[in-house]
Amino acid sequence: MATPDCILLTGAAGYIASHTWLALQDAGYTVVGVDSFVNSSPVVLDRLREIGGQPIHFVQGDVRDPAVLDRCFELGQTVGGIKAVVHFAALKAVGESVERPLDYFENNLGSLLAVSQAMQRHGVFDLVFSSSATVYGEPERLPITEDAPLRATNPYGQTKLVGEELLRSLVACDARWHVACLRYFNPVGAHPSGRIGEDPRGIPNNLMPYVAQVAVGKRPHLNVFGNDYDTPDGTGVRDYIHVCDLAEGHVAAVRYLGEQQRSVTVNLGTGQGYSVVQLAQAYGRAAGREIPLVFAPRRTGDVAACYADPALAQRLLGWSARRGLDDMCVDSWRWQSTNPGGFEG
Ligand code: UD1
């Protein structure tokens, strides 16, 4: 039997990467992971070993350090040789990025450059880049197609936009490179085992982790940021996507790069928007308890509605999301209720 292809994941202990690790293994790939644990826990690796039943190939370190990446490629040599890289490692909090813009530029763009340079050194040219629907800014038209105007409204978004642009330029200059830019909508939920999930530090910025902490009794109520938007119930509408669907989108992108030898930029969303109130109600059903809501002012920088046209990903990658809002809530609740203190609780 041929050796399975080996894929390097940066930021491998993070929320989306850890789910992608399992999805890649399920699809027959070998994974090498690298993470500094600056915003994740080493316990994730024990859980991945437990769920996946396979050995964990892992390097601890910051991917801005070329020696760390060289160690990853050397480790890859022992398991068939790395064929592609999925680059997740990045800082991702919008508010923090406004407070510390230089840290965001340094970290997110520095790591992208270091990863690309290491790939070139080791003769690997297939790269999947974690981008975000944030590159669309305030959308002019819904659902959002990939040819919509691009603009960033904060330093975090800027790093994604500039990251994409750097990669498109690289592809245009050097035909060896094939890059998939994946524009994530709102990833939520957890692995159905309940053993891995999102574990934000401090007060969650994002909606579902906050709702999960209300459901588990850590916080008294959900602050609903704005109920006067031009949406059916006045609250913000987003395209929530189950993290396992998103993970499978990465597998499809890795496969596409290997088979088609072409670059691609696609939305990874469901195409279906839900409001804050709809999500809180669905979560309440999953958890068997009501989520108390308190209406609060709009959050600066928020848009009324944002949801994907996912047709291009379906057409090019043969991928589409399969899980619905109730699956997202049930799986999130399983993770949250059995790990109320997160990985290290
Ligand atoms: C946010 C980021 C986006 C990033 C994404 C990552 C902002 C302005 N945008 O997107 O750049 O790519 O996370 O997942 O931070 N809400 C509440 N109460 C809360 C939290 C959120 O009502 O306590 C509402 C928001 O106003 C919004 C919706 O829930 O309408 C979703 O918010 P969130 O989960 O933070 O995602 P985005 O704002 O879409």
Side-chain angles (χ1 to χ4, degrees):
M1 216 174 77
T3 320
D5 281 350
C6 175
I7 312 299
L8 173 63
L9 304 188
T10 72
Y15 171 48
I16 302 172
S18 56
H19 290 80
T20 301
W21 189 315
L22 294 175
L24 283 164
Q25 284 184 351
D26 285 348
Y29 292 92
T30 301
V31 175
V32 170
V34 55
D35 202 299
S36 66
F37 299 127
V38 68
N39 194 26
S40 60
S41 164
V43 176
V44 170
L45 303 179
D46 300 331
R47 302 283 175 95
L48 290 175
R49 197 178 290 112
E50 170 197 317
I51 307 166
Q54 295 192 30
I56 295 296
H57 310 289
F58 183 78
V59 172
Q60 182 179 347
D62 189 317
V63 293
R64 287 171 296 169
D65 179 351
V68 166
L69 286 168
D70 287 342
R71 282 216 297 284
C72 295
F73 282 92
E74 281 155 24
L75 180 58
Q77 283 306 324
T78 67
V79 285
I82 288 166
K83 300 291 188 305
V85 178
V86 187
H87 177 47
F88 292 100
L91 300 175
K92 59 164 190 175
V94 173
E96 185 183 65
S97 82
V98 176
E99 285 158 26
R100 299 173 17 216
L102 287 172
D103 287 352
Y104 271 68
F105 301 148
E106 218 286 295
N107 207 297
N108 292 3
L109 296 173
S111 66
L112 177 60
L113 291 178
V115 166
S116 311
Q117 285 168 327
M119 290 175 68
Q120 185 158 284
R121 272 199 306 285
H122 293 273
V124 175
F125 297 98
D126 285 1
L127 173 63
V128 178
F129 176 61
S130 295
S131 188
S132 166
T134 197
V135 299
Y136 296 118
E138 170 115 44
E140 278 168 18
R141 250 186 308 235
L142 293 167
I144 304 174
T145 48
E146 288 80 355
D147 57 2
L150 302 180
R151 57 178 88 91
T153 55
N154 55 68
Y156 160 73
Q158 201 83 44
T159 64
K160 294 298 176 189
L161 191 50
V162 172
E164 280 198 12
E165 281 166 358
L166 289 179
L167 292 171
R168 277 192 281 275
S169 175
L170 183 59
V171 164
C173 296
D174 184 342
R176 293 174 299 175
W177 282 91
H178 302 107
V179 175
C181 291
L182 305 182
R183 295 176 178 160
Y184 310 155
F185 281 67
N186 291 62
V188 296
H191 192 266
S193 66
R195 300 295 285 159
I196 58 169
E198 190 169 13
D199 182 18
R201 296 199 173 152
I203 302 171
N205 295 310
N206 297 119
L207 178 62
M208 192 176 282
Y210 200 102
V211 171
Q213 293 195 0
V214 175
V216 85
K218 265 197 194 173
R219 305 195 186 274
H221 59 259
L222 171 69
N223 295 303
V224 179
F225 298 145
N227 62 350
D228 56 352
Y229 284 111
D230 183 17
T231 60
D233 65 18
T235 68
V237 167
R238 296 292 184 274
D239 186 338
Y240 298 98
I241 173 170
H242 196 297
V243 65
C244 292
D245 278 325
L246 193 64
E248 289 166 9
H250 291 74
V251 177
V254 165
R255 197 173 283 138
Y256 179 89
L257 294 178
E259 289 173 0
Q260 304 290 323
Q261 293 288 291
R262 298 168 69 116
S263 294
V264 64
T265 297
V266 288
N267 291 335
L268 294 186
T270 67
Q272 170 76 53
Y274 289 103
S275 74
V276 175
V277 169
Q278 284 176 312
L279 184 141
Q281 286 172 344
Y283 209 100
R285 284 195 300 276
R289 58 194 73 177
E290 204 179 317
I291 307 296
L293 305 181
V294 171
F295 292 102
R298 292 181 178 193
R299 182 172 65 179
T300 313
D302 273 356
V303 301
C306 174
Y307 50 93
D309 182 335
L312 191 65
Q314 160 77 54
R315 188 155 60 79
L316 295 181
L317 307 184
W319 168 92
S320 58
R322 300 184 285 133
R323 299 158 177 94
L325 183 63
D326 289 331
D327 302 310
M328 303 177 209
C329 294
V330 166
D331 289 336
S332 164
W333 176 240
R334 189 180 299 108
W335 153 252
Q336 185 68 42
S337 56
T338 54
N339 301 267
F343 286 108
E344 292 176 6

